[in-house]
Amino acid sequence: MSEAPRVTVAGGGLAGLTAALRLAERGYQVKLYERKPWLGGDLGSRPAPGVELDVYPHMYLSWYHNFWRLLEDATGDDRSERFREVEGVKQLRRDEFPRFTGLTDTYSPRHLLQNLRSGVGPPADMLVYAYAGIDLLAERLNPTMRLDNVSVTGFLQARPYMTERAAEAYDSFITTVWALPSYLTSAEDYQTYLGYSMVDHAPPFWLANGSALQQVIGPITNALEAHGVEIVREVQVSGVSCTNGRVTKIRLQKALFDEGTDSWVGEGDGRDEEIDELVLAVPPDVLLHLMRTGDRGTRLVEAEPKLAEVSRLRTQRIPILHLYFKKKLQHIPFEPVGLYDSKFALAFTDISQTWAGVAEFSGRTVLSLSASDPFGLPGTEDPHDDAYAMLVELAEYLPFDAGTAWRKSPDIDWELTRFEPNSDAELFVNETGTDVWRPAASVDTIANVAFAGDFCANRIGMTTIESAVTTGLEAARVIVKRRGVGAPVEVTEPDAGAAASYVWLRYALAPYAAAAWAWSTGSDCATRLRDMLTPARPPARQRRDS
C-alpha cells in the first residue's frame, strides 16, 4: 500500500468538511482552508451576543441518509437528541392572524383528507395540488413530455386539470423552501426531490434544537481535529496553477471582510503552496475565478475548457433579518411559516421556540425572517432600507408596530436585532436546463483535482444539505479510487419509490382530478356571475344621506 498523499481542501462549507473528514478517517493528511472566521458555509453561524445566528435557517429531511450518517459518526448521538420532529409548515394570510393554516406531512396519503380541509386553499384546488405531484412522479416511467428543459410552472401549465390556485400553492411552497420561484425551478430536479420525500417522510423534516454551529458544524469540526485535520481560517485560495494536466501549486492570501462590497477579499501578495491532491469546494463564482486566473498556460480552464460553463450557473442572495421582539408574541407556531402573497416571499421561523438554553431568547420572540424574492427590495446603499421594507411587510401579517423608520419600532429590541444581506453567502439556483453545466466530481484532463459543492453534479436533485454532503463524498471517493489508499467511500442514494405505482395512481385518480378542476372552475365562474349580477352598494355615507 502506498503512503497516503497530502490533500488540500479549499472551502470549509459542508461539502469541504465532508470530503476532509472521510479522507482523514482513511489516513490522508488533510489541510483545509476557509476564508471566513467560521466554518459551514451556507450552513454556518455568525457570532452574535450570547449566541451564534445561522447564515440561513434550515430544515433537515428524513431522507438525508448521508448527512445523518456523517453527523452520527461525528457525534455518536441519535438525531433526536439534537433535532425536533416537525410534521409540516404553516401559512399566514394578511389580516388573518392568529389563524395559521398549513399542510401536515404532504407526502403521506394518510393526511390527504386533512390537507384537503386545511384551509391553505379550497379543497378542490388542494386535490389538484396533490394530484400534480403524483402526475410529475409518473413521468419517470410514463413520460408525456421532456422534463430536462421544463420548469415546474411549465409542467403544471401543460396539464389540463391544473387550476390557478393549485399552481400558486406550488409556487408559494417552493419559493419558501428553496428561495426560487417555480417558473425557474427545474421540473426534473423537483421530481427527484419529490420522489425521495414520498418514500421517506416519517417525519417530513427536523428542526435543530440550536444553531447549526452548535448542532452540526461544531461536532464535525471536533471530529476533523480528532483525525488530525489542520484547519486554517481567514485564509483563502486565490490562485491555482496547473501544468501538464496536474495542479502543482496554489496561491494563499489572508482574507478580510470588505463592508463596502459585503464580500471577502484577499490582502497582500500571499504565498504559494505545493499540491498533491486538491479539493475545490468553493462557491461557483469563486471556482470560476480560480479557473480563469493565473499565467497563460497554467489556468485550469485551459486544461479543461468545459469548466468555463460554470459561468452559466446562477446564485442568489437571500437576506435574513434576525428580529428580536421585546416580549413574547402569542400564537406564533414553532413550525416554519410562509406569508401568503408576500411581495418579498417572506417566511420565518421562531427560533426562540426551537433553540434551547439561549439566555438572550428568554421571555421574548426571536424570528429568523427571510426574503426569498428580494428583487423588489429597495437595494439602496443603506442595507437597512431593505431590512425595514421586510419589517413593514411583516407588520401586515403580525400584530406589532413597525415604526416610522429603521430602529424606530417600540416593539423591537434594536440592540440585538441583526440584518444580514448575505451577499457573501449566495445560494445556488436550480434553474431549468442548468444540470448539464454542473461540474462533475472530477475531470479526466486534470489528474489531481476534485470538485465539491451543492452546485456540482449529484444524484439528489434540488439544492439541499444532502446534495452538499453527497458531493463531498463523491470528491473523497474520487481521490481514494485514484490513489488506492483506504476503504472505498460509500454514497447512499435515497429510494425514489416504485415508478409503476405512480403511473397507476395517475390514471386511477385522473377522474377525481378532472372533477376537482371542474368544481374549482365552476365555483369561480359562479362567483364572477354573482358579482356581475349583484348591484353595487353605494358608500355608507351616501346610504345614510338618502
Side-chain angles (χ1 to χ4, degrees), residues 72 75 171 181 203 242 244 402 413 416 445 454:
E72 184 177 350
T75 64
D171 186 55
C242 180
N244 297 324
D413 187 332
L416 295 175
T445 53
D454 56 18

Side-chain angles (χ1 to χ4, degrees), residues 110-335:
R110 186 164 59 91
H111 294 95
L112 178 60
L113 292 179
Q114 177 184 346
N115 287 328
L116 292 182
R117 301 192 299 265
S118 64
V120 171
D125 296 287
M126 296 314 298
L127 179 59
V128 169
Y129 173 89
Y131 179 77
I134 294 171
D135 191 20
L136 179 59
L137 289 170
E139 288 288 303
R140 289 164 46 202
L141 186 62
N142 180 217
T144 61
M145 61 192 301
R146 290 188 57 181
L147 295 181
D148 52 352
N149 285 310
V150 176
S151 69
V152 173
T153 296
F155 173 80
L156 296 177
Q157 290 182 343
R159 316 319 277 180
Y161 57 80
M162 184 50 52
T163 66
E164 183 177 349
R165 281 183 292 269
E168 287 176 351
Y170 266 94
D171 186 55
S172 176
F173 282 105
I174 289 175
T175 303
T176 298
V177 175
W178 287 287
L180 179 65
S182 60
Y183 63 81
L184 291 178
T185 305
S186 164
E188 192 170 42
D189 286 348
Y190 184 69
Q191 179 195 59
T192 303
Y193 160 85
L194 190 60
Y196 297 154
S197 299
M198 292 288 284
V199 172
D200 196 347
H201 55 79
F205 61 93
W206 304 70
L207 291 179
N209 293 333
S211 69
L213 173 64
Q214 180 183 17
Q215 304 300 338
V216 180
I217 302 303
I220 293 176
T221 303
N222 293 338
L224 288 167
E225 293 173 341
H227 282 88
V229 176
E230 182 181 355
I231 301 173
V232 183
R233 297 171 176 84
E234 299 183 80
V235 171
Q236 67 177 9
V237 176
S238 59
V240 178
S241 181
C242 180
T243 305
N244 297 324
R246 289 186 62 84
V247 170
T248 56
K249 62 183 178 180
I250 57 174
R251 171 58 59 92
L252 300 170
Q253 279 184 303
K254 178 72 174 177
L256 299 173
F257 185 71
D258 180 8
E259 293 186 0
T261 60
D262 197 35
S263 63
W264 296 85
V265 297
E267 180 186 46
D269 294 333
R271 60 182 177 85
D272 291 340
E273 185 169 278
E274 294 184 353
I275 291 297
D276 283 350
E277 288 279 353
L278 177 64
V279 177
L280 289 174
V282 294
D285 60 327
V286 177
L287 178 60
L288 194 63
H289 171 77
L290 293 178
M291 292 188 305
R292 286 177 166 174
T293 57
D295 297 331
R296 187 179 298 276
T298 67
R299 302 168 186 145
L300 288 177
V301 75
E302 293 172 322
E304 180 51 71
K306 193 176 186 304
L307 290 174
E309 301 292 358
V310 170
S311 61
R312 296 177 182 268
L313 306 181
R314 188 163 72 87
T315 58
Q316 179 174 302
R317 73 179 183 94
I318 305 299
I320 300 291
L321 176 60
H322 293 286
L323 190 59
Y324 286 69
F325 288 91
K326 291 181 178 179
K327 62 180 182 180
K328 207 69 158 171
L329 299 184
Q330 301 300 314
H331 310 297
I332 303 294
F334 79 89
E335 299 97 334

